Amino acid sequence: MLNVLYFARLRESFGLDTERLDLPADVGDVAALTALLRARGDAWERELAPNRSWRVAVNQDMAHPDTPVRDGDEVAFFPPVTGG
Amino acid sequence: MLNVLYFARLRESFGLDTERLDLPADVGDVAALTALLRARGDAWERELAPNRSWRVAVNQDMAHPDTPVRDGDEVAFFPPVTGG
Amino acid sequence: MNAITSPEVAGRTEVRVQTADFDVGAEIARLRAGNASIGAVASFIGVCRDLNDGDRVADMVLEHYPGMTERALERIAADARGRWDLIDILIVHRVGRMLPTDQIVLVVVTGGHRGEAFAACEFLMDYLKTKAPFWKKEQTPDGSRWVEARADDDAAAERWQ
Amino acid sequence: MNAITSPEVAGRTEVRVQTADFDVGAEIARLRAGNASIGAVASFIGVCRDLNDGDRVADMVLEHYPGMTERALERIAADARGRWDLIDILIVHRVGRMLPTDQIVLVVVTGGHRGEAFAACEFLMDYLKTKAPFWKKEQTPDGSRWVEARADDDAAAERWQ
């Protein structure tokens, strides 16, 4: 199981702030997980399209497409940050 | 008449914070005025020696050796500044 | 003559994310209390403006990622300590609803000398704006909108690399 | 929706030389009051340390050139306004006797954006330290001494030319 979090614009677009996700055997990194979510269509396909800007953190560290994702991880999707 | 002011280390060395000075006809700039003061000897010669560091302001603006000095001016001699 | 023999007071790093407002004077006084080795205090306050990208802003809501935000700010502070010789670092960032003229963020850096305190304070703000998970949503006359990340904030952060 | 229509409040330049201490929080609050176009407040406090050039400092006396000092500070502030788009500039410099941990100088710059406020605040301090007629005399265990001007302060000021 993964704990997946969504923030800001993504949270609103998905209508979801967190979900528990069974990790398929063939999903081993951030890129594969993103593809899995994008395949849900609608807002998922639109917000996570390659031409949109979003960020992923794994266990609260900024991640890259090839960052490994393992059972028990906390993965967060969010827009570029705008604090300060 | 000039109004001449001394600050900080110079004030202490000269034992003087201000004086009224008749301006000799041949003293027309800061360099000539400095030479006139240096000729007093002792602390004057020592503090205003070419190898010491000091500054001159004429009418409250930073001056250079060739800045003109005229009757009625306020001229100040002081060490490099150390505020802040 | 040896009148003053205050022991060196160690500096601290403090990071807070809170809905409550902060008191700049009190925060600075608390950091400085009893530490006679501090010669420089550089600080920055980010404030909610009533105008952004040409539109009136009625209010703003700041969202964050609890846990990761504090972690990111601690890391940014540690990075600053690796670059400069500093005494204290304080970062306070508010979340929740804010109105124009409300304070959003405070960064205070103390040190022996001003050059390092200034550099670290600006570095912390530049990094915070591009690396700490906060997001702003504004209310404008046309409705609410998520603030877009700014290219010049990325450029400001890249100066330090 | 047009909830906020605060008129633009003009910025001000304020320069003060005084023996009294200052209250950083109150000074910043006063500058900011009612001005919703301020997005950034950069400030710096210079503080009396108990150590300088390796010697314990028991106290310090700050002397200045009344009249020329205010004039120099006004000029430095005008110079900063010519370089950056700023809202307020406040410079408060104390004179007289000060003890370790006492505040010496305060510079506050407000503006729309942080980059300009930071740059102007550091510029003002660098220029003040090399161009405003103040002099420090310290009491150390070996007696009193006039503080010497520092080459790195000159270097800091030259960066802006």
Side-chain angles (χ1 to χ4, degrees), chain C residues 1-8 23-25 28 32 34-52 56-59 100-103 111-115 117-119 121-123 125-127 129 139-143 150 152-153 156-157, chain D residues 1-8 23-25 28 32 34-52 56-59 100-103 111-115 117-119 121-123 125-127 129 139-143 150 152-153 156-157:
Chain C
M1 210 47 236
N2 246 312
I4 304 289
T5 52
S6 69
E8 204 80 356
D23 178 332
V24 183
I28 292 175
R32 291 188 45 215
N35 194 341
S37 56
I38 294 175
V41 182
S43 66
F44 180 83
I45 309 167
V47 180
C48 182
R49 303 165 72 208
D50 64 0
L51 199 73
N52 191 27
R56 286 280 147 189
V57 174
D59 77 6
T101 78
D102 279 355
Q103 303 184 118
H113 303 283
R114 78 184 182 288
F118 268 123
C121 190
E122 188 165 15
F123 166 86
M125 277 305 304
D126 286 348
Y127 262 49
K129 288 200 81 106
Q139 287 282 353
T140 75
D142 300 324
R150 298 165 58 98
D152 58 356
D153 283 333
Chain D
M1 212 44 239
N2 246 312
I4 304 291
T5 53
S6 69
E8 204 80 355
D23 179 332
V24 183
I28 291 176
R32 291 188 45 216
N35 194 341
S37 56
I38 295 176
V41 182
S43 67
F44 180 83
I45 310 166
V47 180
C48 182
R49 302 166 72 208
D50 64 0
L51 198 74
N52 191 25
R56 287 280 147 190
V57 174
D59 76 6
T101 78
D102 279 355
Q103 305 183 118
H113 303 283
R114 78 183 182 289
F118 268 122
C121 191
E122 188 166 13
F123 166 85
M125 276 304 304
D126 286 348
Y127 262 47
K129 288 200 80 106
Q139 286 282 352
T140 76
D142 300 325
R150 297 166 58 98
D152 57 355
D153 283 334

Side-chain angles (χ1 to χ4, degrees), chain C residues 38-76:
Chain C
I38 294 175
V41 182
S43 66
F44 180 83
I45 309 167
V47 180
C48 182
R49 303 165 72 208
D50 64 0
L51 199 73
N52 191 27
D53 284 335
D55 295 309
R56 286 280 147 189
V57 174
D59 77 6
M60 197 179 77
V61 175
L62 250 151
E63 177 174 334
H64 79 304
Y65 181 173
M68 181 172 170
T69 309
E70 292 80 354
R71 198 178 152 99
L73 296 178
E74 296 277 2
R75 186 166 303 178
I76 290 164

Side-chain angles (χ1 to χ4, degrees), chain D residues 70-85:
Chain D
E70 292 79 355
R71 197 179 153 99
L73 296 177
E74 296 276 3
R75 186 167 301 177
I76 290 164
D79 193 340
R81 286 196 181 274
R83 291 167 184 248
W84 297 284
D85 187 17

Side-chain angles (χ1 to χ4, degrees), chain B residues 14-49:
Chain B
F14 302 158
L16 194 67
D17 62 357
T18 180
E19 63 178 314
R20 305 276 289 167
L21 200 70
D22 272 317
L23 193 64
D26 60 342
V27 172
D29 62 18
V30 164
L33 176 63
T34 307
L36 184 75
L37 295 175
R38 195 186 297 131
R40 291 172 172 177
D42 296 334
W44 301 87
E45 191 172 1
R46 199 170 59 246
E47 291 286 2
L48 301 177

Side-chain angles (χ1 to χ4, degrees), chain A residues 8 11-12 74 79 82 84, chain C residues 63 65 93 134-137 146:
Chain A
R11 176 177 53 73
E12 286 190 347
E74 172 176 306
T82 57
Chain C
E63 177 174 334
Y65 181 173
H93 202 300
F134 292 103
W135 302 275
K136 283 178 186 152
K137 189 175 192 177
W146 289 99

Side-chain angles (χ1 to χ4, degrees), chain D residues 130-144:
Chain D
T130 53
K131 300 212 188 305
F134 292 102
W135 302 274
K136 283 178 186 151
K137 189 176 193 178
E138 297 172 335
Q139 286 282 352
T140 76
D142 300 325
S144 69

